[in-house]
């Protein structure tokens, strides 16, 4: 077993100053789209989660800003259409979005401004991956992160159909599908996602899923003491739980938060149809594509720093999938 | 701030009124979430709009813009009536027991001494009864009808919950809920913090809004304690530094005053600055004014400032008016009385009221110099941008010079935060293109001006030729050189004041604190309150030790806080009269029997015995003021004044317009809508959004994406009434101008019932102009009125009257 990067801490921690090897290796992939018999890893990474505490969120959009900066995307400067959501929806260049809902609580008749950060939920049972016909276009690591490997994406849009949360967006420029990566490139070197790092009120925190659940329980206790009797965690079982979880003041009605699904499930159509497609896809593209998929994970630009890229390249060149030691 | 950002975690109740901390100060707001998460603190928001801060609050109540004094006096009335008063604090640490002159009074919305002609008060009756011993007369039993406490009771009597509902539009039940939550903080073991910003300052009675809350905090015993205080959230990262350094026409660094023309000589100037205590044994720290002033003059003119020439007092300009504030300068400019104007880090075409007047004024200049990292609207005021800057370029003869400067991330230096922490920072990037540091530009100009005086003489060259300029490179003073100068150093050997054989500092050494400042010319210091920031031990502002003994939030070894590295002002008041903390679990300092010590730098001479020296050492009374004597132009108590443009007349006096002593220029007076003018029925208020910082970040594509286009916020009811659709285009106009915007129709603004009539509020955010990456738009200053606070001339941006209608889409060019 190779030495790996430290386990993720909450995003408040300062990043390491020494070069660190990637903690996400080809051998940590547990599922690959349109691929059967993925060799199971010889180690299990600790499950991670990003916790979004809606009750602490002030809707400042620092997360959106950090997401744009880190991923170096350039969303369009749109018009104002009379709402606070800007851009107006998730786009291939905007992986996360604050959604604002003005909700009058029927019990108190008080207005509540519900602000929810929307983006990929990183399902334990990812509908996008199940739906995807392109071998290696979507992978899941043993820590729970679901990542798109754009080199292998054919832009068919099945992932959009497969997603119970309506997250992926297909680029009209390069015809690839885009969504939040949970900053897999940052997590790979022991850091939290950029959005969590930027959040001024620590409404977004990141760590092991176990720690995040424990933190959420504390928050729920506080909310209950303030009169939110139905405060709770959103970690929907219908998709096997998620690696992005919410604390909601009104966990009994998730859909008031701009349509967060009350009981998300992968469409039965997708569940039923995927087997055939997957086989067909494999037949067309050949088994070699699996290797390409794995390669794709590491050939992707890693914006951490030059030395990270260099290390990654060395890893790929060594081809043993067992590097990562600095 | 009396306290600091980090101290907010210690509070039990946060009241955000006159501000929108989550929106405009999101990073500092983390300390509110800390207090909520770890102390179970509650958050109250009182605002015309249900804001982002309100979205995470425990209780929200609406209020009509410009009626805050009614609300605050109403809370004070409720606290007095319901005995929610920290009596030991009020009796011992405020002037509640002081007797006031018999002639003082209030009637019909006005205090005694009003002169309508002069728009000013004769304030002679607004003072204490003085005894023959030269000390103030008091009644510690609070029985005397002329004591401050009883006058206050009488003053707030009109502000009943019903009156609050009628004038503020705040439902009575919501108001009373808030009173109850605030009242809980009158016990010594519960504290409330006030977080406010430009929602209180940008009114013609802004200073009185703040006074109102300060008085409430004193009555609750919340000043000087952890988790308490009056916490002004400053609107720019270094605006605290700007005021400290006195970048105003009437100030000298460290809150000293530029003389007026009535103070033609040094003796006259100093005669009103003796600050003798008016209660026995009190510190009255401003008695040291002479030391600070002489050290400043020595910093400015070195050997040219000598006792024989009254420290070169004749070099200082003498004001012929109270101040040459921004609005006065633009008024003069508009009259063609200004030829050359420097805009350094300043975009007044968008940041000063009545934009039409600003454009006219700039058009009358001979030359305008812009020092800025960005291409600002002001630097392009002459350029036609269609409806967004509809000017006749050919008719404008002003020459405009742009000198590109570096931005904060390209500079080394210090920024002072709201909590008075002077934090050193280092350059993070290399300046682009021809950008130069502001100090470089100023030095280059100064050296050239100086040479002109050297070569050609002039009427009075001495202050220029003799200005101290002993920087290693006279063409580029370094940040460390300037910082050392502001801290102050010994010019000759400095001796201890009591033991005159003991050397405090040798010539050339940096001073350790302002206690070492002298009035004999042996010390120099550019800004006395910064003394201690760069000592013989080095740059205290660069310290980054985040240890915090006792987990108090003081962080004494992180940067430097003025004064004297003190983190909570008036912290002596955190203890009872015997010197024991009111709340032992929130100790800051305590009296050990011999001296004061604890987690913060005591705000009292360390050996001053409890009971002898009172906590408010800057005041000649030694205590705080519920009655502010003649310190403010518009009254010793806050009294309700309507904005200059208002939907209703002042309920106390229908003839009263706005603040009766606020300065109004004739040309501006003609541009006010009449009270209750049916053409302008809606109350407008301006504000910032989290996505942007003023007019800067619209130049950044990322921020432009997050909030791309100018909009106004209106209620669903107003939208329905006027036929306005969400996202539709509207025209908003005032007596002074018009703007076009997108309509954001929201439940977060509701119509209000004010004095029997329905009043709509229109929210106008301020981030757009005609330069930068975002879509072209307008600012609220195209509409707002040009009148300022009666004491400090902060423009009344938060309450003015407008109208709104749907507008056809902009024609495609």
């Amino acid at each position: 077993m190779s030495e790996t990067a430290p386990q993720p801490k909450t995003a408040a921690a300062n990043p390491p100053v020494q070069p660190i090897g990637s903690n996400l290796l080809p051998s940590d992939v547990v599922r690959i789209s349109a691929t059967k018999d993925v060799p199971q890893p010889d180690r299990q990474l600790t499950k991670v989660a990003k916790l979004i505490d809606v009750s602490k969120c002030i809707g400042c959009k620092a997360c959106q800003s950090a997401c744009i900066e880190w991923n170096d995307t350039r969303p369009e400067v749109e018009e104002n259409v009379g709402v606070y959501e800007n851009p107006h929806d998730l786009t291939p260049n905007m992986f996360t979005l604050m959604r604002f809902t003005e909700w009058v609580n029927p019990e108190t008749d008080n207005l509540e401004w519900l602000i929810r950060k929307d983006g990929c939920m990183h399902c334990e049972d990812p509908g996008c991956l199940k739906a995807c016909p392109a071998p290696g276009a979507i992978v899941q690591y043993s820590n729970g992160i679901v990542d798109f490997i754009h080199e292998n994406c054919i832009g068919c849009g099945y992932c959009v159909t497969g997603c119970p949360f309506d997250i992926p967006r297909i680029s009209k420029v390069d015809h690839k599908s885009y969504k939040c990566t949970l900053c897999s490139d940052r997590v790979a070197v022991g850091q939290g996602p950029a959005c969590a790092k930027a959040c001024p009120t620590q409404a977004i925190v990141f760590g092991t899923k176990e720690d995040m659940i424990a933190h959420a329980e504390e928050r729920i206790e506080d909310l209950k003491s303030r009169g939110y009797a139905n405060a709770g965690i959103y970690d929907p079982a219908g998709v096997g739980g998620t690696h992005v979880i919410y604390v909601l003041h009104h966990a009994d009605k998730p859909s008031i938060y701009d349509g967060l699904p009350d009981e998300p499930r992968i469409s039965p159509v997708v569940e039923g149809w995927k087997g055939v497609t997957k086989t067909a896809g494999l037949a067309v593209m050949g088994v070699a594509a699996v290797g390409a998929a794995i390669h794709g994970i590491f050939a992707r630009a890693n914006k951490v720093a030059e030395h990270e890229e260099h290390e990654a390249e060395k890893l790929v060149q060594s081809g043993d999938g067992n590097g990562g030691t600095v | 701030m009396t306290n600091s950002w980090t101290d907010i975690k210690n509070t039990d109740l946060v009241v955000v009124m006159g501000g929108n901390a989550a929106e405009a100060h999101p990073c500092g707001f983390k300390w509110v979430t800390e207090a909520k998460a770890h102390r179970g603190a509650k958050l109250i928001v009182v605002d015309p709009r249900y804001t982002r801060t309100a979205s995470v609050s425990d209780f929200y109540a609406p209020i009509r813009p410009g009626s805050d004094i009614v609300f605050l006096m109403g809370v004070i009335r409720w606290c007095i009536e319901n005995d929610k008063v920290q009596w030991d604090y009020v009796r011992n640490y405020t002037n509640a027991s002081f007797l006031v002159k018999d002639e003082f009074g209030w009637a019909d919305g006005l205090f005694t001494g009003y002169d309508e002609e002069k728009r000013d008060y004769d304030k002679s009756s607004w003072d204490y009864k003085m005894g023959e011993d030269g000390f103030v007369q008091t009644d510690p039993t609070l029985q005397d009808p002329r004591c401050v406490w009883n006058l206050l009771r009488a003053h707030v009597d009109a502000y009943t919950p019903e009156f609050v509902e009628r004038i503020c539009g705040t439902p009575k039940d919501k108001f009373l809920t808030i009173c109850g939550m605030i009242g809980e903080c009158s016990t010594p073991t519960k504290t409330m913090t006030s977080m406010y910003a430009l929602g209180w300052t940008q009114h013609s009675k802004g200073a009185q809004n703040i006074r109102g809350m300060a008085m409430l905090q004193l009555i609750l015993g919340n000043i000087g304690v952890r988790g308490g205080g009056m916490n002004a959230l400053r609107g720019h990262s270094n605006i605290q530094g700007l005021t400290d350094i006195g970048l105003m026409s009437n100030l000298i660094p460290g809150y000293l005053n530029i003389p007026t023309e009535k103070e033609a000589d040094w003796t006259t100037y100093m005669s009103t600055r003796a600050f003798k205590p008016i209660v026995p044994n009190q510190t009255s720290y401003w008695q040291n004014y002479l030391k600070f002033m002489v050290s400043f003059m020595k910093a400015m003119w070195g050997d040219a400032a000598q006792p024989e020439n009254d420290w070169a007092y004749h070099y200082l300009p003498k004001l012929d008016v109270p101040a040459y504030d921004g609005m006065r300068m633009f008024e003069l400019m508009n009259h063609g009385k200004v030829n050359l104007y420097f805009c350094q880090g300043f975009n007044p075409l968008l940041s000063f009221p009545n934009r039409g007047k600003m454009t006219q004024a700039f058009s009358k200049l001979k030359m305008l110099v812009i020092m800025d990292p960005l291409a600002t609207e002001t630097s392009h005021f002459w350029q036609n941008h269609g409806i967004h800057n509809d000017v006749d370029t050919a008719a404008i003869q002003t020459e405009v010079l742009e000198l590109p400067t570096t931005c904060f991330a390209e500079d080394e230096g210090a920024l002072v935060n709201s909590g008075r922490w002077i934090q050193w920072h280092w350059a993070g990037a290399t300046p682009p293109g021809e950008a130069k540091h502001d100090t470089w530009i100023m030095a280059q100009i100064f050296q050239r001006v100086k040479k002109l005086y050297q070569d050609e003489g002039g009427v009075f060259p001495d202050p220029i030729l003799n200005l101290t300029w002993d920087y290693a490179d006279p063409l580029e003073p370094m940040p460390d050189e300037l910082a050392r100068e502001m801290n102050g150093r010994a010019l000759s050997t400095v001796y201890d004041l009591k033991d005159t054989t003991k050397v405090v500092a040798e010539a050339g050494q940096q001073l350790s604190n302002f206690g070492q400042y002298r009035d004999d010319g042996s010390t120099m210091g550019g800004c006395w309150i910064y003394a201690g920031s760069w000592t013989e031990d080095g740059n205290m502002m660069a310290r980054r030790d985040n240890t915090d003994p006792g987990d108090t939030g003081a962080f004494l070894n992180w940067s430097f806080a003025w004064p004297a590295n003190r983190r909570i002002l008036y912290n002596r008041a955190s203890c009872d009269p015997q010197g024991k903390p009111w709340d032992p679990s929130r100790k800051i300092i305590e009296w050990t029997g011999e001296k004061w010590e604890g987690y913060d730098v005591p705000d009292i001479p360390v050996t001053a015995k409890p009971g002898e020296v009172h906590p408010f050492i800057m005041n000649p009374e030694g205590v705080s003021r519920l009655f502010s004597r003649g310190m403010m132009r518009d009254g010793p108590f806050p009294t309700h004044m309507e904005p200059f443009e208002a939907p209703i007349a002042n309920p106390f006096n229908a003839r009263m317009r706005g603040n009766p002593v606020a300065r109004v220029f004739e040309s501006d007076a003609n541009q006010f809508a009449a009270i209750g003018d049916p053409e302008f029925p809606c109350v407008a208020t301006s504000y910032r959004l989290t996505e942007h910082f003023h007019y800067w970040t619209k130049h950044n594509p990322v921020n432009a994406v997050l909030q791309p286009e100018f909009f106004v916020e209106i209620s669903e009811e107003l939208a329905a009434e006027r036929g306005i659709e969400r996202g539709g285009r509207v025209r908003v106009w005032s007596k002074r101008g018009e703007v076009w915007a997108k309509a954001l129709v929201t439940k977060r603004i509701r119509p209000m019932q004010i004095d029997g009539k329905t009043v709509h509020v229109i929210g106008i955010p301020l981030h757009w102009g005609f330069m930068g990456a975002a879509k072209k738009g307008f600012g609220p200053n195209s509409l707002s009125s040009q009148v300022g606070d009666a004491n400090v001339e902060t423009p009344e941006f938060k309450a003015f009257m407008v109208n709104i209608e749907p507008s056809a889409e902009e024609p495609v060019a």
Side-chain angles (χ1 to χ4, degrees):
Chain A
M1 177 71 55
S2 61
E3 192 188 327
T4 60
Q7 287 298 315
K9 299 189 179 88
T10 61
N14 281 324
V17 292
Q18 296 303 317
I20 285 176
S22 173
N23 195 32
L24 290 179
L25 308 177
S27 57
D28 291 316
V29 169
V30 289
R31 291 187 204 182
I32 301 171
S33 56
T35 305
K36 268 187 183 166
D37 305 324
V38 176
Q40 285 308 292
D42 54 3
R43 65 173 188 179
Q44 169 66 47
L45 294 172
T46 314
K47 298 279 187 189
V48 296
K50 175 162 81 183
L51 171 68
I52 301 168
D53 183 348
V54 168
S55 71
K56 268 185 161 182
C57 172
I58 55 175
C60 71
K61 303 187 190 168
C63 51
Q64 281 185 240
S65 174
C67 183
I68 292 171
E69 297 276 6
W70 181 260
N71 292 297
D72 203 15
T73 60
R74 279 287 170 269
E76 266 181 69
V77 177
E78 299 177 348
E79 285 186 5
N80 186 303
V81 295
V83 296
Y84 268 72
E85 283 87 353
N86 290 296
H88 309 139
D89 192 11
L90 295 168
T91 76
N93 286 307
M94 189 74 260
F95 306 156
T96 189
L97 184 70
M98 310 301 310
R99 295 190 185 274
F100 299 79
T101 309
E102 295 176 352
W103 182 68
V104 179
N105 188 331
E107 283 166 32
T108 60
D109 203 33
N110 282 336
L111 176 68
E112 295 182 28
W113 201 11
L114 308 173
I115 307 171
R116 176 172 68 88
K117 177 188 183 298
D118 195 13
C120 176
M121 300 295 287
H122 294 270
C123 306
E124 181 64 23
D125 187 12
C128 57
L129 189 147
K130 281 189 165 166
C132 177
I138 304 180
V139 299
Q140 185 179 36
Y141 296 97
S142 69
N143 64 2
I145 293 180
V146 178
D147 223 350
F148 284 9
I149 310 301
H150 296 112
E151 287 79 355
N152 302 321
C153 176
I154 57 173
C156 65
Y158 287 11
C159 55
V160 182
T161 317
C163 175
F165 298 96
D166 185 27
I167 299 301
R169 295 290 182 272
I170 312 290
S171 165
K172 285 184 177 142
V173 178
D174 66 1
H175 307 290
K176 309 274 186 190
S177 186
Y178 289 89
K179 70 158 189 80
C180 158
T181 67
L182 207 61
C183 283
S184 54
D185 47 356
R186 292 173 59 91
V187 173
V189 291
Q191 297 194 49
C195 56
K197 180 83 183 170
C199 178
T201 60
Q202 293 183 26
I204 310 170
V205 288
F206 180 81
T208 67
K209 185 156 180 184
E210 196 184 341
D211 285 352
M212 294 302 101
I213 297 280
H215 177 57
E217 301 287 0
E218 275 179 38
R219 292 294 307 138
I220 288 158
E221 202 177 310
D222 176 67
L223 286 169
K224 287 190 168 163
S225 78
R226 290 171 197 272
Y228 294 104
N230 296 313
I233 302 178
Y234 184 82
D235 180 18
V239 290
T242 51
H243 294 274
V244 173
I245 58 178
Y246 290 111
V247 167
L248 303 177
H249 348 52
H250 307 287
D252 54 328
K253 2 181 204 302
S255 57
I256 64 171
Y257 297 88
D258 200 81
L260 183 63
D262 288 328
E263 285 179 21
R265 293 187 181 285
I266 303 171
S267 154
V269 178
V270 171
E271 291 275 14
W273 139 115
K274 55 151 189 181
V276 184
T277 326
K278 195 172 278 181
T279 316
L282 269 178
V284 172
M285 299 185 188
V287 183
V290 179
I294 303 289
H295 181 273
I297 298 168
F298 293 92
R300 216 152 34 103
N302 181 329
K303 297 292 190 318
V304 177
E306 251 180 45
H307 67 258
E308 309 287 352
E309 283 207 45
H310 183 64
E311 288 303 319
E313 271 168 30
K314 267 202 324 206
L315 265 176
V316 174
Q317 279 153 14
S318 72
D320 60 6
N322 198 23
T325 320
V326 175
Chain B
M1 281 187 175
T2 55
N3 296 38
S4 63
W5 283 109
T6 49
D7 173 68
I8 290 168
K9 71 170 186 169
N10 295 315
T11 199
D12 298 301
L13 178 64
V14 182
V15 174
V16 175
M17 182 176 173
N20 182 2
E23 182 104 32
H25 302 84
C27 289
F29 191 76
K30 68 159 68 88
W31 299 104
V32 176
T33 53
E34 278 292 301
K36 288 185 77 178
H38 299 300
R39 276 196 75 83
K42 297 284 198 293
L43 169 62
I44 292 175
V45 173
V46 181
D47 198 284
R49 298 176 305 130
Y50 188 97
T51 61
R52 276 172 161 123
T53 312
S55 80
V56 289
S57 70
D58 293 277
F59 199 80
Y60 164 78
I63 185 171
R64 172 173 63 102
S67 65
D68 301 73
I69 289 173
V70 175
F71 193 103
L72 293 167
M73 293 302 106
V75 179
I76 290 178
R77 182 185 183 280
W78 185 91
C79 285
I80 294 175
E81 191 167 69
N82 292 278
D83 197 25
K84 298 297 183 187
V85 174
Q86 194 183 330
W87 282 108
D88 285 342
Y89 192 104
V90 168
R91 285 206 178 88
N92 293 291
Y93 299 160
T94 76
N95 63 359
S97 65
F98 289 29
L99 304 188
V100 172
K101 286 182 177 177
D102 292 330
E103 303 79 49
F104 168 76
W106 176 95
D108 302 330
L110 294 163
F111 296 95
T112 41
Y114 186 61
D115 183 333
E116 195 169 346
E117 197 89 330
K118 289 187 190 160
R119 290 185 61 78
D120 206 356
Y121 281 109
D122 169 3
K123 300 191 285 267
S124 54
S125 70
W126 307 359
D127 211 347
Y128 306 132
K129 290 185 184 176
M130 302 300 283
E132 284 175 8
D133 55 2
F135 295 122
V136 68
Q137 296 181 29
T138 65
D139 173 18
T141 68
L142 304 186
Q143 297 301 308
D144 192 306
R146 296 305 298 174
C147 79
V148 165
W149 187 254
N150 290 324
L151 292 175
L152 175 63
R153 284 179 70 124
H155 180 76
V156 299
D157 193 52
Y159 300 89
T160 61
E162 293 75 22
F163 187 74
V164 170
E165 181 170 273
R166 181 183 139 208
I167 304 304
C168 302
T170 310
K172 185 177 156 185
D173 59 330
K174 288 189 189 286
F175 171 72
L176 289 174
T177 301
I178 290 173
C179 287
M181 291 170 80
I182 289 176
E184 285 179 31
C185 298
S186 61
T187 70
T189 53
K190 268 204 146 185
T191 58
M192 165 177 118
T193 184
S194 162
M195 296 172 76
Y196 68 92
L198 284 80
W200 269 350
T201 61
Q202 288 184 333
H203 291 277
S204 53
K205 69 281 183 167
Q208 293 285 6
N209 288 335
I210 296 156
R211 274 287 301 155
M213 182 53 105
M215 289 160 63
L216 175 59
Q217 285 288 61
L218 289 170
I219 288 167
L220 300 169
N222 281 337
I223 299 288
V225 302
R226 267 164 67 182
M230 283 302 291
N231 296 312
L233 317 180
R234 307 306 309 262
H236 285 253
S237 64
N238 198 26
I239 203 73
Q240 183 66 50
L242 181 146
T243 41
D244 296 347
I245 296 296
L247 288 185
M248 277 164 283
S249 63
N250 58 340
L251 288 180
I252 290 172
Y255 303 95
L256 309 179
N257 301 109
I258 286 279
T260 68
E261 64 181 5
K262 288 181 189 149
E263 297 164 323
D265 62 80
W266 178 246
T267 315
T268 312
Y269 176 77
M270 284 308 303
S271 67
T272 57
R273 292 175 172 85
F275 303 104
K276 289 283 169 232
I278 56 172
V279 169
N281 298 322
Q282 297 315 304
T283 312
S284 190
Y285 203 82
W286 279 113
Q287 289 185 96
N288 295 299
Y289 194 102
L290 183 63
K291 295 170 189 161
F292 309 148
M293 188 71 189
V294 169
S295 297
F296 169 76
M297 299 300 276
K298 293 297 287 183
M300 288 291 284
W301 288 292
D303 289 342
Q306 293 295 336
E308 296 74 34
N309 70 351
D310 288 337
W311 311 106
Y313 182 74
H314 59 301
Y315 286 9
L316 285 177
K318 312 290 185 293
L319 283 166
D320 59 341
V321 292
Y324 283 95
D325 55 280
M327 283 188 291
R328 186 185 294 277
M329 285 308 296
F330 296 123
E331 171 74 7
L332 289 169
M333 201 183 284
N334 201 28
H335 286 288
K337 292 181 180 165
V338 180
N339 292 325
L340 167 64
Y341 194 73
F342 267 74
C343 272
Q344 186 179 9
F346 185 32
N347 190 6
L349 192 72
L350 288 184
S351 64
F352 261 66
N354 196 353
R355 178 163 151 191
K357 179 175 170 181
M358 302 300 297
T359 303
Q360 276 180 35
F362 288 129
S363 304
K364 289 173 185 157
L365 285 171
K366 291 204 171 84
M367 186 188 277
L368 174 63
V369 181
I370 308 288
M371 292 171 63
D372 209 283
L374 300 169
T376 67
E377 279 75 8
T378 303
S379 68
H380 291 71
F381 81 92
W382 48 271
Q383 203 171 55
N384 188 295
H385 287 256
I387 57 165
H388 297 103
N389 199 46
D390 193 8
V391 294
D392 177 7
T393 302
I396 297 171
Q397 297 303 311
T398 310
E399 184 176 0
V400 181
L401 290 182
E402 282 184 287
L403 304 177
T405 62
T406 52
C407 79
F408 64 94
E410 295 149 1
D411 286 341
E412 183 176 353
L415 296 169
V416 189
N417 76 3
S418 301
R420 298 166 284 103
W421 295 13
I422 321 176
Q423 304 191 92
W424 198 263
H425 65 93
W426 293 264
T430 309
E434 293 180 294
K436 296 286 187 190
H437 297 310
D438 290 68
T439 41
W440 183 92
I441 296 173
M442 298 308 291
Q444 301 285 328
I445 294 172
F446 174 69
Q447 292 300 343
R448 284 164 174 77
V449 170
K450 185 176 177 179
K451 185 155 191 316
L452 282 174
Y453 274 102
Q454 262 161 352
D455 294 350
E456 301 174 18
V459 178
F460 190 34
D462 300 14
I464 304 287
L465 297 182
N466 290 330
L467 190 70
T468 304
W469 202 269
D470 48 8
Y471 309 111
D473 177 358
L475 289 170
E476 186 162 22
M478 286 291 133
D480 61 315
E481 292 178 304
L482 296 165
R484 285 163 188 267
E485 194 175 1
M486 278 191 268
N487 177 86
R489 67 171 181 270
L491 295 172
S492 55
T493 310
V494 178
Y495 295 95
D496 188 85
L497 288 173
K498 286 184 186 135
D499 178 0
T500 51
T501 59
K502 193 173 143 196
V503 173
V504 170
E506 296 289 0
Q509 283 187 327
Q510 291 291 108
L511 301 176
S512 309
N513 54 63
F514 46 75
Q516 297 177 348
Y517 273 41
R518 295 291 180 265
D519 56 17
D520 60 0
S522 61
T523 60
M524 66 80 97
C527 184
W528 72 275
I529 57 174
Y530 287 179
S533 62
W534 197 309
T535 67
E536 283 297 303
D537 294 328
N539 184 352
M540 297 293 120
M541 301 168 278
R543 295 180 302 170
R544 291 293 183 272
D545 177 352
N546 64 357
T547 52
D548 185 24
D551 197 24
T552 67
F555 298 104
L556 284 187
N557 294 316
W558 181 283
S559 76
F560 178 84
W562 73 260
N565 205 27
R566 187 171 294 127
R567 306 297 162 127
I568 298 183
L569 297 180
Y570 318 115
N571 59 32
R572 161 63 183 91
S574 68
C575 295
D576 64 18
Q578 290 72 46
K580 290 285 162 218
W582 296 112
D583 180 355
S585 76
R586 266 186 289 212
K587 182 181 111 169
I588 308 170
I589 59 165
E590 68 184 331
W591 177 252
T592 64
E594 288 168 3
K595 60 179 180 179
W596 292 97
E597 63 179 28
Y599 299 117
D600 195 1
V601 178
D603 197 354
I604 189 105
V606 288
T607 54
K609 289 201 180 83
E612 287 180 7
V613 181
H614 299 322
F616 290 83
I617 61 169
M618 300 309 287
N619 292 350
E621 297 97 322
V623 295
S624 58
R625 302 184 185 111
L626 295 172
F627 174 89
S628 64
R629 307 170 73 191
M631 305 280 174
M632 294 168 78
R633 290 191 59 233
D634 43 5
F637 292 130
T639 184
H640 173 59
M641 297 166 261
E642 284 291 329
F644 272 83
E645 287 189 338
I648 60 165
N650 189 313
F652 295 130
N653 182 343
R655 285 190 59 236
M656 221 167 109
R657 186 73 189 266
N659 184 326
V661 298
R663 181 195 67 200
V664 181
F665 295 118
E666 209 172 303
S667 59
D668 300 321
N670 303 329
Q671 289 195 302
F672 290 128
I675 298 295
D677 188 337
E679 200 198 331
F680 301 104
C682 301
V683 179
T685 191
S686 69
Y687 46 89
R688 301 194 331 208
L689 300 167
T690 315
E691 292 92 335
H692 282 296
F693 184 77
H694 288 266
Y695 316 99
W696 306 8
T697 55
K698 65 177 161 63
H699 291 263
N700 179 345
V702 177
N703 299 76
V705 164
L706 301 181
Q707 205 54 273
E709 188 178 15
F710 178 47
F711 63 88
V712 296
E713 293 190 284
I714 58 171
S715 68
E716 293 176 342
E717 291 81 356
L718 179 60
E721 199 177 284
R722 302 295 171 93
I724 295 166
E725 286 176 16
R726 166 173 294 167
R729 199 172 147 80
V730 292
R731 172 177 168 256
V732 181
W733 72 102
S734 75
K735 191 94 188 251
R736 294 156 296 274
E738 59 187 343
V739 300
W740 287 266
K742 291 295 184 66
L744 199 148
V745 181
T746 177
K747 294 184 201 303
R748 293 176 297 99
I749 297 179
R750 301 293 308 275
M752 294 181 165
Q753 291 303 313
I754 306 295
D755 206 8
K757 66 188 211 184
T758 302
V759 172
H760 292 286
V761 172
I762 297 181
I764 308 182
L766 56 69
H767 300 292
W768 291 273
F770 55 85
M771 304 294 291
K775 297 213 176 297
K776 286 183 188 182
F778 298 88
N781 75 324
S782 292
L783 305 170
S784 62
S785 62
Q786 196 157 91
V787 62
D789 172 85
N791 293 282
V792 294
E793 303 298 350
T794 303
E796 189 158 68
F797 271 121
K798 290 294 184 267
F800 52 95
M801 303 301 289
V802 299
N803 206 340
I804 188 168
E805 65 182 10
S807 167
E809 288 302 308
E810 193 176 352
V812 179

